[in-house]
Amino acid sequence: MAAGVKLEVVAEALALLVRPTETGQSLQQATKQAVLLEALQVNLSSLEEKLQHVPAWKELRTLRETAAEGREWLESSADITWRFTSEALILLLCLRQCMVQLAASFQPTKPNLRTAEAAPALPPDTLSVSQQKTIQSALQFVVTLGICPYLLAGVGVPLRQKSEFGAVVEDAVSCDFSHDAMRRLFTSCTVLLDISQHPSLGSFLLTRHLGDIMAGLCQLGFCLSRAKGEGRPGEMLTEGERAQCRQALHSLLDRVYQPLVIRELLILQGGSKQGLQPHTGELSQHLAHTPAWLRRLCGQLLSQRLMKPNGVQAVLRGILEGAGAGAAGGHDAEAAAAAADWKRCSAIGRILACCPQQSLSLDSYYQLVCPQILDLLHIMDKVTARQFQQVASSTVLAMAREQPALASKYLLSPMLEPLLRCLDMPGKAEEDPQPGSVVVEESEITCCIEDIQKVYVVGNELLPVLQESLKTVLGALFHLYCFTRQNVSYLRSPCQEILLWSLEKMEQASALATVKELAGLERTLPALSPFCQFSAGSGGGTVIVVKETISDEDEALYQKVCVDQWRLECLADLLCQSQKTGLAGDFFICCLKDLTACAVDMHPHPDPISCDNLQQLQQAHKQSEQEKKLLILQLVAVLCEKVSDSVFTDLLQVVEFVGSTLKRALASLRQNERSSVDAQTLSMAMGLVAAILGGAVQLKSEDFAVMKQLMPLLEQISCLYLEPVIQELACNLRITIATHGAFQAGTQSHSKQEMDNGAAEMQTTSQHRSEPPGSEEKLLGDNKRTINLNNSVAEKSIPRENPAPSSGTKGNLSAQEMSSIYTPEELQEIFTSAYDPAAPVRTAALRTIVGLIEQRDIQILRLQEKVLKILLENLEHEDSFVYLSAIQGAALLSDLYPQQILPVLLEQYGNVEKCPESRMKTGEVLMRVSRALGDMVFHYRDPLIHAFLRGTRDHDSTLRASSLANLGEVCQRLQFTLGSMVHEVVSCLTAVVKMDCEAEVRRAGVHVVVLLFRGLSEKTTEVLRDVLKDLYRLLKYVVQCQQDETAVLHAQLALQELDEIIRRFLFPEQKLEKKIIVLP
């Protein structure tokens, strides 16, 4: 218990020394300094009296005398402030000695294993809250009275800047004893350092007064002798004592929390001579006058802290923690403000990029600091990461700007190493890894992609060294992007951002070459190793594994084709995202030019070489050339399908596109090879030029200068092309370009030329499915001018005064409702054009016939059999514009003459010799006719239902499914008139759902039931009354027995519809109605 009492006595003595005391003088009768000095004297007297007369303090008196032996600074002094400081220091030493003895004698009791474990006993040297406050007050008095008054001007923060009490203390310290100033400062610093060796006392001291102790040690150990008249001399310390202070300073800096050390060194260093003021208030006046020796010393100490392990992070935390970036409890508002201060982060980055003088070499500094900078990118704390990552990005950019070689070696290469590891690069050591083994882990790829995004994209500065380093791994990045497009991965968006950013920042020529690399047209950059492939990671990312060898050549070829196709589709989607740069249009034009070159060299030349090796070499070369040609064709097809109509961003791209198209047409003409695709392409290109010249685009004089490059091509076409219409159009366009639009082409064309030109222009709006060169019209958008034969029809037609006749009067058309538009010769020419091999011409003719049927042209109606034959034959065409126009015409004609034409259509539908596609098109005609007939469809109920029932037994599964869909729609139209046919329909549906071998057909059968319930709605219980139980059992059978999930889903939907219908039937909605009943 004696040891415990001794600790309490020491704490009581300290409390007595630092307690506030009431003096006999009032503030009006004395100054604040006098009041402070009197209070210090009273406390000292009270302490000495208790030490002499209180028996309980006898052990403290003995311990104090032991601690005071050999300490000359404890001798009596006339300066009351120093006497107070000395007494506080000796009591703190006694407290330290007491706490050490108590901790050494403490032996905790062993826990009782039979009972529940209780909290461990506190060590006897544990301080209470009041004792901690007393010790903190004593330490503050010691620092305030024993260190701060003796610091030189500009060293540390002045007392006046700290608090009002500090100003009072500064005036109270006597200046008559200035010859002892350095000795007193030395005594205070050394004793406090001795006290700080105890963990508890050291935490109290260093967390609050580290800056003052560091300022004192710097002055004692590093301040040189000064000239006369510059303040207090420093010659009273020996060189050994100065060395002791320097060693104590370095030891103190090494054992304290490094960010705190950095912050205090920055405060000591102060502002520059040029007056760069810090952001924090009144300290600016002090920091601007820091002595030069102290600024140099703090700079050296800061550089030493920086080059230590984790020094970069310590420096950043020391600078940014005050703004809420570190773990020292910053607020959210301060963190947001600090994250927005990008100028501060950029300045720190520039500082880190500069090599300090203490470093042995620039290379060694980069080798030490760069790994720490990369670690800043991986900090997980959100508040800290925002600023640290911005500093890291700014530092990487600054280093890449100033030392590109070293930045590439120590920053960029380690950052990109996971992707470089899987590249097929020359000189790379060949290994024989096991298939399926992991080459790059998921975490490595994730960190790599995120680092690239933070440094390259967020930094947003494409320096040459950054461009070259990123271009090396761009192929692997694109393969990774393609892989993430196939799966759900969080790496998809970062990869897309990196690729788009790199393409946007490159020059146009370099970006175009890079896109060719990604497409596989050129092979200059390192590609992904053929032994590596991407695989899905367990955490939603990606890993790189060794590819397993495929022994089957067909399977390997199939996988290669699928991968290439998917890569091109991903590239097209990527180009669609960067259309503002015009890169998509330039790349499309480049592919068209390559396509023209392929068209010129389509026939292989005979091989005169007889040597086997040379033949094999040439055969391999030819194979690679053929692969490139196929790739170009595939690229053009994908681009035509993927990119939108705004792919061309300026007139120059449009002119280059037209020029490439005309060159390809000329190449085919020179080889005496003509096809419908070439004719369509040529017509489309010339129609586009005519649209531009006709006013679709506002042309300027410089635009005509750009279009003059088309004049030689148009002249060659006018000479080589055999058709006179094309020759005349090319000549007129060339003259229009040469005269800058003064001569408008096509003003003297006769009717045949108008029709032919209209057909040529018509194909510019068609997006039919054909070979890639013929599908380019999809990309032209609003720059096209459509000349449709229907326009001429509308101009010549007589407006109809009466609406279309009702269903009951069809076929009885009056002469007033019919008018003749074309002469028989013109009509024959239209019929001939309906068999033209060019799809646009044929489509234009069919649209004309459809327009005439709608106008009830008397000539067309008289030739209904011939017209029907033309329409049915055009149903066989593969182009969607052709057969859709034929379907529309046949439906309109059948609506006018159902009794004559419906039997023909039903015969066509039931003809098993026809292909299934043709029969399904006929079925579409029948469905359009049934919709147009409305309630009159009842007259054709039996033949329609029987035709579709027979279709459900066809050998082709697609036709069976189509017949079921048609059957369901007809039953919806018939409703109550379905009658006894409902039993046949339900029997057919039951047989199909239970017995058909194709899942598609079974799904269609169940879907028919869904359509019936939805179409009949409230009428279901009446129309399907006799078969409703059979349908319910059929649906339950599907749900319980079928394995096909889609069919089960359709059945559940049907049951849900049936449930709602029955509920509404059993529980009708209650309506409040007023009824008036007249009583008899």
Side-chain angles (χ1 to χ4, degrees):
M1 293 298 294
V5 172
K6 189 181 297 183
L7 178 61
E8 295 175 355
V9 170
V10 176
E12 185 180 354
L14 282 173
L16 180 63
L17 185 64
V18 299
R19 70 178 180 177
T21 306
E22 295 183 0
T23 61
Q25 306 180 51
S26 63
L27 291 178
Q28 290 81 8
Q29 299 174 351
T31 62
K32 294 181 180 180
Q33 291 81 6
V35 173
L36 174 63
L37 293 176
E38 184 180 353
L40 297 179
Q41 181 63 45
V42 171
N43 290 348
L44 282 174
S45 301
S46 301
L47 178 64
E48 291 177 358
E49 183 180 356
K50 275 205 170 187
L51 285 174
Q52 295 296 330
H53 300 93
V54 177
W57 287 30
K58 181 178 180 181
E59 295 181 359
L60 174 60
R61 184 169 61 250
T62 304
L63 181 61
R64 179 180 177 279
E65 293 173 355
T66 304
E69 292 180 358
R71 300 184 185 273
E72 299 177 356
W73 49 268
L74 197 58
E75 297 177 357
S76 178
S77 174
D79 188 359
I80 188 62
T81 57
W82 179 245
R83 285 175 51 199
F84 184 88
T85 303
S86 302
E87 194 63 38
L89 287 174
I90 200 67
L91 287 178
L92 287 172
L93 287 174
C94 293
L95 178 65
R96 174 183 177 274
Q97 183 64 25
C98 177
M99 294 176 70
V100 170
Q101 293 176 359
L102 288 174
S105 62
F106 176 61
Q107 293 182 354
T109 58
K110 295 182 180 181
N112 188 357
L113 300 179
R114 296 181 179 180
T115 61
E117 187 175 356
L122 289 175
D125 61 342
T126 303
L127 299 171
S128 65
V129 176
S130 61
Q131 290 172 350
Q132 292 178 13
K133 292 182 179 180
T134 301
I135 294 172
Q136 289 175 357
S137 299
L139 291 174
Q140 185 175 2
F141 268 107
V142 171
V143 172
T144 304
L145 298 176
I147 294 181
C148 294
Y150 305 114
L151 295 176
L152 299 177
V155 179
V157 181
L159 281 174
R160 293 184 180 274
Q161 302 290 344
K162 292 184 177 181
S163 64
E164 185 180 357
F165 176 73
V168 175
V169 172
E170 189 174 11
D171 296 334
V173 175
S174 176
C175 298
D176 298 336
F177 304 96
S178 60
H179 59 279
D180 294 331
M182 296 304 289
R183 178 60 58 184
R184 291 177 178 179
L185 179 62
F186 176 76
T187 299
S188 299
C189 290
T190 53
V191 174
L192 287 177
L193 287 176
D194 188 17
I195 294 172
S196 67
Q197 298 299 322
H198 190 277
S200 299
L201 299 179
S203 64
F204 297 147
L205 177 62
L206 298 180
T207 54
R208 293 177 177 267
H209 308 292
L210 176 63
D212 295 323
I213 297 176
M214 289 171 55
L217 293 176
C218 289
Q219 178 175 321
L220 294 172
F222 296 92
C223 181
L224 302 177
S225 299
R226 295 169 304 277
K228 295 181 179 180
E230 292 187 5
R232 306 180 182 94
E235 293 82 5
M236 297 185 64
L237 291 182
T238 64
E239 187 60 34
E241 291 173 334
R242 293 167 59 85
Q244 178 184 353
C245 291
R246 290 193 290 268
Q247 183 178 0
L249 176 63
H250 288 293
S251 176
L252 178 65
L253 297 182
D254 288 338
R255 69 187 179 94
V256 178
Y257 179 57
Q258 290 302 296
L260 183 60
V261 172
I262 299 297
R263 186 168 58 189
E264 295 299 338
L265 285 175
L266 290 173
I267 295 175
L268 286 177
Q269 190 178 31
S272 63
K273 289 184 178 181
Q274 288 77 11
L276 292 177
Q277 305 291 338
H279 300 285
T280 55
E282 300 178 355
L283 288 179
S284 59
Q285 297 178 358
H286 160 70
L287 295 176
H289 302 283
T290 304
W293 65 268
L294 183 58
R295 285 200 306 271
R296 290 193 297 269
L297 174 62
C298 291
Q300 294 174 3
L301 295 175
L302 285 171
S303 300
Q304 292 175 4
R305 301 298 104 190
L306 176 64
M307 291 186 293
K308 285 183 174 294
N310 297 323
V312 173
Q313 192 171 141
V315 170
L316 293 183
R317 290 186 182 276
I319 297 174
L320 302 175
E321 263 186 359
H331 300 289
D332 293 340
E334 295 177 350
D341 191 6
W342 60 269
K343 291 184 178 180
R344 178 187 300 179
C345 297
S346 180
I348 297 173
R350 290 193 298 269
I351 293 173
L352 293 177
C354 298
C355 178
Q357 298 178 354
Q358 288 75 18
S359 179
L360 297 177
S361 65
L362 187 62
D363 186 273
S364 62
Y365 174 72
Y366 271 66
Q367 186 176 3
L368 178 65
V369 172
C370 288
Q372 300 184 45
I373 294 174
L374 293 179
D375 290 338
L376 296 178
L377 297 171
H378 307 145
I379 293 184
M380 302 303 296
D381 181 50
K382 293 183 179 180
V383 178
T384 307
R386 286 184 294 182
Q387 288 184 321
F388 280 22
Q389 290 172 4
Q390 189 166 356
V391 170
S393 178
S394 302
T395 307
V396 172
L397 294 177
M399 289 182 170
R401 195 182 303 110
E402 298 175 5
Q403 300 293 335
L406 294 177
S408 176
K409 180 179 180 181
Y410 294 114
L411 277 176
L412 303 180
S413 295
M415 184 192 305
L416 304 175
E417 192 274 336
L419 293 178
L420 293 173
R421 199 186 309 169
C422 62
L423 294 181
D424 186 13
M425 304 179 66
K428 189 176 181 180
E430 295 184 0
E431 301 178 357
D432 189 17
Q434 295 295 328
S437 60
V438 178
V439 178
V440 184
E441 296 288 346
E442 180 181 359
S443 58
E444 294 179 295
I445 295 182
T446 301
C447 289
C448 178
I449 299 301
E450 291 178 351
D451 292 349
I452 294 175
Q453 185 184 25
K454 295 170 186 174
V455 173
Y456 288 79
V457 181
V458 178
N460 198 24
E461 185 176 354
L462 189 61
L463 300 171
V465 62
L466 297 180
Q467 182 177 356
E468 292 300 324
S469 60
L470 184 60
K471 188 179 291 186
T472 305
V473 299
L474 212 56
L477 267 174
F478 180 67
H479 279 84
L480 177 58
Y481 169 71
C482 296
F483 176 76
T484 55
R485 288 284 304 273
Q486 296 176 331
N487 307 278
V488 178
S489 176
Y490 56 81
L491 295 178
R492 180 190 305 172
S493 180
C495 290
Q496 180 175 336
E497 289 183 9
I498 295 169
L499 292 170
L500 289 176
W501 177 85
S502 62
L503 293 177
E504 291 175 0
K505 289 296 180 180
M506 292 180 185
E507 297 180 356
Q508 198 71 3
S510 179
L512 190 59
T514 303
V515 174
K516 288 184 178 180
E517 290 282 347
L518 300 181
L521 295 177
E522 296 180 0
R523 302 286 185 182
T524 57
L525 296 180
L528 190 68
S529 175
F531 302 103
C532 295
Q533 69 177 6
F534 292 100
S535 179
S538 59
T542 306
V543 296
I544 301 179
V545 298
V546 179
K547 185 186 299 185
E548 296 183 0
T549 305
I550 301 177
S551 58
D552 190 358
E553 295 182 358
D554 294 338
E555 180 65 22
L557 179 61
Y558 173 75
Q559 289 191 8
K560 182 179 182 302
V561 171
C562 293
V563 169
D564 291 344
Q565 177 68 23
W566 179 246
R567 187 180 75 249
L568 296 181
E569 291 181 3
C570 293
L571 180 60
D573 292 336
L574 196 66
L575 292 176
C576 290
Q577 301 294 326
S578 61
Q579 287 188 0
K580 294 181 180 179
T581 61
L583 183 60
D586 291 343
F587 181 63
F588 181 66
I589 293 171
C590 180
C591 292
L592 290 180
K593 292 179 180 179
D594 293 340
L595 185 63
T596 303
C598 294
V600 175
D601 190 23
M602 288 299 293
H603 301 287
H605 300 285
D607 187 7
I609 304 176
S610 58
C611 179
D612 294 340
N613 293 334
L614 291 179
Q615 286 180 352
Q616 294 177 359
L617 181 62
Q618 190 168 8
Q619 184 178 3
H621 177 70
K622 288 182 179 180
Q623 183 178 0
S624 63
E625 290 294 329
Q626 292 296 327
E627 290 180 357
K628 183 177 180 180
K629 293 177 182 178
L630 292 175
L631 181 60
I632 293 172
L633 291 172
Q634 197 174 8
L635 263 174
V636 174
V638 171
L639 290 175
C640 289
E641 181 181 356
K642 290 289 184 179
V643 295
S644 65
D645 54 1
S646 59
V647 61
F648 296 140
T649 57
D650 52 22
L651 182 64
L652 179 60
Q653 289 183 337
V654 177
V655 172
E656 290 183 356
F657 165 72
V658 172
S660 175
T661 305
L662 296 179
K663 288 178 182 179
R664 188 166 67 255
L666 286 172
S668 299
L669 288 175
R670 292 190 180 97
Q671 294 179 359
N672 295 324
E673 294 183 358
R674 293 192 58 190
S675 63
S676 60
V677 173
D678 295 330
Q680 295 168 18
T681 305
L682 179 60
S683 302
M684 177 267 301
M686 298 180 68
L688 179 57
V689 176
I692 294 174
L693 296 174
V697 179
Q698 294 294 331
L699 297 177
K700 302 177 182 179
S701 57
E702 53 268 20
D703 296 333
F704 282 101
V706 172
M707 295 186 69
K708 282 185 178 180
Q709 58 182 302
L710 300 177
M711 293 177 60
L713 300 175
L714 292 173
E715 183 177 4
Q716 295 179 34
I717 289 177
S718 64
C719 297
L720 296 178
Y721 211 81
L722 299 180
E723 295 186 9
V725 176
I726 299 297
Q727 292 180 358
E728 183 180 355
L729 180 58
C731 182
N732 290 339
L733 292 176
R734 186 169 60 87
I735 296 174
T736 304
I737 295 173
T739 59
H740 287 204
F743 172 80
Q744 292 295 331
T747 57
Q748 300 175 353
S749 300
H750 52 80
S751 60
K752 183 179 184 301
Q753 291 174 345
E754 289 180 357
M755 185 176 63
D756 291 340
N757 290 341
E761 292 290 328
M762 183 63 189
Q763 53 89 34
T764 62
T765 60
S766 64
Q767 301 174 3
H768 56 84
R769 298 164 294 180
S770 59
E771 294 80 5
S775 56
E776 297 151 354
E777 57 269 61
K778 183 180 179 180
L779 304 170
L780 302 179
D782 297 333
N783 295 331
K784 298 179 291 185
R785 182 181 61 179
T786 303
I787 304 175
N788 198 328
L789 288 176
N790 293 337
N791 296 337
S792 60
V793 174
E795 293 173 0
K796 296 182 180 182
S797 61
I798 298 175
R800 294 167 52 191
E801 299 179 357
N802 300 324
S806 62
S807 302
T809 61
K810 288 181 181 179
N812 303 321
L813 301 175
S814 63
Q816 295 178 353
E817 292 178 330
M818 299 184 296
S819 61
S820 178
I821 298 177
Y822 289 101
T823 63
E825 293 78 12
E826 292 175 339
L827 198 60
Q828 183 61 38
E829 188 176 358
I830 294 175
F831 291 162
T832 305
S833 299
Y835 294 98
D836 194 281
V841 178
R842 181 179 294 206
T843 304
L846 291 175
R847 298 306 303 168
T848 304
I849 294 175
V850 171
L852 293 175
I853 296 175
E854 289 178 341
Q855 298 295 330
R856 292 179 173 82
D857 184 83
I858 189 171
Q859 298 290 340
I860 288 290
L861 298 182
R862 288 175 180 174
L863 301 173
Q864 57 173 295
E865 296 182 0
K866 185 174 183 179
V867 172
L868 180 61
K869 180 181 178 182
I870 294 174
L871 295 175
L872 293 179
E873 290 181 0
N874 277 280
L875 287 178
E876 308 288 340
H877 201 279
E878 62 181 5
D879 190 277
S880 59
F881 277 87
V882 175
Y883 68 73
L884 287 177
S885 299
I887 289 174
Q888 184 181 4
L892 290 172
L893 197 61
S894 301
D895 187 25
L896 295 176
Y897 302 101
Q899 295 180 355
Q900 293 85 0
I901 298 178
L902 269 181
V904 179
L905 295 176
L906 291 172
E907 182 181 357
Q908 290 280 339
Y909 188 79
N911 190 357
V912 295
E913 297 180 358
K914 294 281 186 178
C915 62
E917 290 80 6
S918 177
R919 296 171 66 185
M920 284 188 288
K921 295 173 185 176
T922 307
E924 175 63 22
V925 177
L926 291 173
M927 296 316 301
R928 294 193 181 191
V929 174
S930 64
R931 298 187 197 108
L933 289 174
D935 294 338
M936 295 301 297
V937 74
F938 168 72
H939 295 284
Y940 308 98
R941 180 193 65 177
D942 294 349
L944 284 173
I945 291 182
H946 290 161
F948 294 142
L949 288 176
R950 286 193 297 269
T952 59
R953 301 176 58 186
D954 195 83
H955 66 279
D956 186 79
S957 60
T958 308
L959 183 62
R960 296 201 301 272
S962 176
S963 299
L964 286 170
N966 296 338
L967 182 63
E969 186 170 352
V970 170
C971 291
Q972 280 185 340
R973 300 285 176 189
L974 291 173
Q975 294 187 0
F976 289 105
T977 58
L978 186 59
S980 60
M981 300 293 294
V982 68
H983 296 280
E984 297 185 32
V985 173
V986 172
S987 300
C988 175
L989 293 178
T990 304
V992 167
V993 172
K994 292 185 177 181
M995 306 299 295
D996 200 288
C997 58
E998 294 292 336
E1000 181 183 8
V1001 182
R1002 295 196 299 271
R1003 297 170 187 172
V1006 180
H1007 188 60
V1008 169
V1009 182
V1010 179
L1011 293 178
L1012 284 175
F1013 288 162
R1014 289 180 180 175
L1016 296 174
S1017 186
E1018 304 293 343
K1019 305 174 184 177
T1020 301
T1021 53
E1022 299 179 23
V1023 177
L1024 305 178
R1025 178 180 52 190
D1026 298 334
V1027 295
L1028 198 57
K1029 185 185 296 184
D1030 298 333
L1031 291 176
Y1032 176 76
R1033 291 175 178 174
L1034 177 63
L1035 294 175
K1036 295 296 290 185
Y1037 165 80
V1038 174
V1039 172
Q1040 296 174 359
C1041 303
Q1042 290 284 354
Q1043 301 296 326
D1044 185 19
E1045 296 180 357
T1046 306
V1048 172
L1049 177 61
H1050 285 311
Q1052 291 174 344
L1053 293 175
L1055 289 172
Q1056 183 178 355
E1057 292 286 341
L1058 181 60
D1059 180 69
E1060 294 178 358
I1061 292 170
I1062 298 301
R1063 285 179 182 273
R1064 289 195 297 267
F1065 176 75
L1066 296 177
F1067 309 103
E1069 182 179 359
Q1070 298 295 329
K1071 296 182 180 180
L1072 298 178
E1073 298 179 353
K1074 293 183 179 180
K1075 293 184 178 181
I1076 300 177
I1077 302 176
V1078 180
L1079 298 176

